Amino acid sequence: MLRHLLAFLLALGLPAAIAGAPDPALPGRIAEAALDAQGRCYRLIHHDTFAYEACLTGLLAEEKKAGPRRLGIEYFGFVGALNSARLGMRGAQDTASAFLQRFRATQKKLRIDDASLCATVPGDCEVRIARMKLMEKSPSVRQPREMPDDGHRH
């Protein structure tokens, strides 16, 4: 009986979120947040990866729960730092590792797969996903550092 009721509700268009499937609008909302984070913080990484991380950490302080905005900021934090690490920027590898830990936890809560998440930020997803998996196997992945209230590195 319950199975028939569920099938009937699904046929009527029961929202995917209630049925247990990921929200189809989720990637777009993540992409918007990543683009906002890029506009507000990415310019900082070219001079100081710690300032970049502090800027993104400040944006994350406004996001109290795991949602698409939080994931977009965290994921862009990883992607931006990963790009700078590829170019040899001092501290970028550590920043990428910190944001990898952050976004993986949020990603799991929101139940979005790697390919869908990767598509929210332009770039080569095959290479980026391979790099994520390689970094996760590395013993050098660190936890995000706590920034002092004044936002300066001590």
Side-chain angles (χ1 to χ4, degrees), residues 1-9:
M1 172 85 177
L2 183 59
R3 185 169 35 125
H4 295 295
L5 178 59
L6 181 57
F8 175 73
L9 291 173

Side-chain angles (χ1 to χ4, degrees), residues 77-139:
F78 169 75
V79 171
L82 187 64
N83 184 55
S84 290
R86 183 180 57 81
L87 299 172
M89 183 76 173
R90 186 179 147 264
Q93 184 69 34
D94 285 344
T95 299
S97 293
F99 279 105
L100 175 64
Q101 294 298 305
R102 287 179 184 261
F103 90 73
R104 280 301 202 195
T106 306
Q107 178 187 15
K108 184 177 180 180
K109 289 178 185 174
L110 296 180
R111 297 182 320 213
I112 185 169
D113 63 276
D114 285 347
S116 298
L117 179 59
C118 188
T120 65
V121 175
D124 185 335
C125 285
E126 188 174 320
V127 170
R128 191 182 304 153
I129 291 170
R131 184 74 177 137
M132 287 173 2
K133 293 181 186 295
L134 184 65
M135 287 176 69
E136 287 175 320
K137 291 178 183 177
S138 170

